[in-house]
Amino acid sequence: ESAESQARFDNKIDADGKIEPQDWMPDAYRKTLVRQISQHAHSEIVGMLPEGNWISRAPSLKRKAILIAKVQDEGGHGLYLYSAAETLGTSRDQMLEGLHSGKAKYSSIFNYPTLNWADMGVVGWLVDGAAIMNQIPLCRCSYGPYARAMIRVCKEESFHQRQGYEALLVMMQGTAEQKAMVQDAVNRWWWKCLAMFGPPDADSPHSAQAMRWGIKRISNDDLRQKFVDATVPQAKVLGVTLPDPDLKWNEERQHHDYGQIDWDEFWSTVNGNGPCNKERLATRVKAHNDGQWVRNAALAYSRKQQTQATK
Ligand code: FAQ
């Protein structure tokens, strides 16, 4: 029975079919998906914080409306992703416990501070830009609920990327001070965005198996390269310099070469010691605790409905 189930699963993966929640799947496949999808969900929710900080300080009504919509979208992405992970047999409470206790990971990128308004543009352009590059291939991932969630998420991320880039285009037509703010924000975020794609393929423990299972379709390094190649011409149009003296077109490879990423700094941030890890986690835990009364009220209401229905 189990060998037969395994064979059916393998055939489906080989034929590029979708695995659905009711299908048999190996425990390790389920575990990998719970890990990745819950980390992804946590990233969306924690990712609301660096930009949420700027909603009350947006420079115009238009920018404020756009930023509120974007931050709200990230919350929505977190909710679809928690739901997708729940189809694998884990509970929302379990996942949140992992996040709030500091056991679960979320994207390194959200542990850096957003220091000025230009950071809002750069987060949209580069952070959402990197997120889309990584998420487009996930629309073809072998697990049905995750793949389907990614389609809508990517459409929304595309709006996020464009709003960021457009905000920067406007600032770059402004004063010398505004242009300097944009360049400063690009300098601070560029390398962190390259690290977002995860460790180099050779040091990525999960990649080979995730590729075999059709969860990962493009490797960490290949996505990073695609991101660099896509971003260079955008930086040119914008009129900013990407802070890497080694960044240059390689005619032979038909790709841009780029410099060394600081992986020690990346791992230190992933392991809890980045500039904002403690602040982000504390803010998240406080928001969860402050919302306890809402969950209590919803439960009390649902119980009341049930007792009324049985009368
Ligand atoms: N940060 O073997 P691999 C967004 C960990 S976008 C922290 O290569 P894998 C949108 C990794 O978990 C951001 N940890 O692992 C937004 C593993 O540790 P573990 C979220 C990282 O899974 C924009 C270890 O290193 N996007 O939220 C990072 O095959 C703006 C070994 O690495 C996703 O999560 C990192 N950057 O590949 C929201 C996309 N990179 O679990 C608001 C889905 C690696 O063994 C505002 N996830 N690690 O303890 C993925 O595609 C994959 O999980 C990767 C990592 C590519 C991130």
Side-chain angles (χ1 to χ4, degrees):
E1 144 72 15
S2 127
E4 214 174 278
S5 305
Q6 178 76 49
R8 212 174 307 128
F9 172 87
D10 291 341
N11 289 340
K12 208 172 217 179
I13 294 285
D14 290 342
D16 228 353
K18 290 273 178 275
I19 306 297
E20 295 297 338
Q22 65 277 12
D23 295 341
W24 183 90
M25 61 188 88
D27 281 344
Y29 176 82
R30 187 184 298 276
K31 231 174 119 190
T32 285
L33 282 167
V34 168
R35 176 185 66 79
Q36 176 166 329
I37 302 173
S38 64
Q39 286 177 359
H40 193 167
H42 300 329
S43 304
E44 300 281 356
I45 301 290
V46 177
M48 296 169 79
L49 302 175
E51 287 169 291
N53 274 339
W54 282 89
I55 290 172
S56 60
R57 290 176 283 176
S60 69
L61 179 62
K62 174 181 144 183
R63 294 293 170 200
K64 182 168 179 157
I66 294 171
L67 191 59
I68 290 174
K70 178 187 191 297
V71 172
Q72 215 162 272
D73 284 351
E74 309 297 1
H77 298 173
L79 298 183
Y80 318 144
L81 287 163
Y82 285 126
S83 299
E86 281 178 314
T87 65
L88 292 157
T90 178
S91 75
R92 184 89 50 115
D93 284 344
Q94 270 173 310
M95 290 185 270
L96 289 181
E97 210 286 311
L99 174 65
H100 296 160
S101 65
K103 268 183 282 176
K105 287 195 169 70
Y106 58 86
S107 181
S108 52
I109 197 75
F110 303 116
N111 292 308
Y112 297 100
T114 44
L115 301 181
N116 69 45
W117 177 256
D119 289 47
M120 294 303 94
V122 170
V123 167
W125 174 36
L126 297 179
V127 176
D128 285 274
I132 299 171
M133 204 47 105
N134 160 278
Q135 286 168 8
I136 292 282
L138 290 174
C139 297
R140 292 185 291 117
C141 128
S142 59
Y143 189 57
Y146 192 28
R148 289 188 289 272
M150 279 302 114
I151 294 170
R152 176 160 171 185
V153 167
C154 285
K155 285 183 185 162
E156 293 178 351
E157 298 288 20
S158 164
F159 151 64
H160 299 166
Q161 198 268 356
R162 281 153 188 242
Q163 67 80 37
Y165 192 65
E166 194 267 345
L168 296 177
L169 280 171
V170 171
M171 285 185 85
M172 290 303 286
Q173 283 150 23
T175 62
E177 216 176 350
Q178 286 174 304
K179 290 180 199 170
M181 277 166 74
V182 175
Q183 183 62 59
D184 168 62
V186 170
N187 293 349
R188 283 182 289 106
W189 288 94
W190 173 248
W191 289 103
K192 321 294 180 207
C193 289
L194 293 191
M196 264 177 89
F197 293 93
D201 295 346
D203 305 324
S204 161
H206 301 302
S207 277
Q209 184 61 72
M211 298 277 258
R212 171 69 188 90
W213 276 329
I215 296 172
K216 232 179 219 183
R217 298 290 185 172
I218 306 183
S219 82
N220 296 4
D221 284 328
D222 288 350
L223 284 173
R224 192 168 8 250
Q225 181 71 63
K226 276 166 82 82
F227 176 73
V228 171
D229 291 341
T231 307
V232 167
Q234 295 170 3
K236 207 170 200 179
V237 170
L238 196 54
V240 295
T241 308
L242 297 172
D244 178 358
D246 298 324
L247 183 64
K248 55 178 173 299
W249 179 250
N250 181 324
E251 189 58 38
E252 208 172 302
R253 291 202 308 122
Q254 290 289 302
H255 288 296
H256 293 85
D257 290 336
Y258 56 91
Q260 269 300 318
I261 295 168
D262 184 346
W263 292 110
D264 290 341
E265 201 260 357
F266 168 79
W267 287 117
S268 154
T269 301
V270 170
N271 292 323
N273 302 311
C276 301
N277 295 58
K278 289 185 182 65
E279 180 191 329
R280 298 286 185 243
L281 211 54
T283 308
R284 180 85 275 288
V285 169
K286 181 177 184 305
H288 185 73
N289 292 340
D290 288 351
Q292 186 61 49
W293 70 272
V294 178
R295 295 189 294 280
N296 290 346
L299 276 175
Y301 180 74
S302 135
R303 271 190 217 111
K304 199 165 125 192
Q305 294 289 95
Q306 275 167 7
T307 34
Q308 273 169 359
T310 53
K311 261 183 202 161

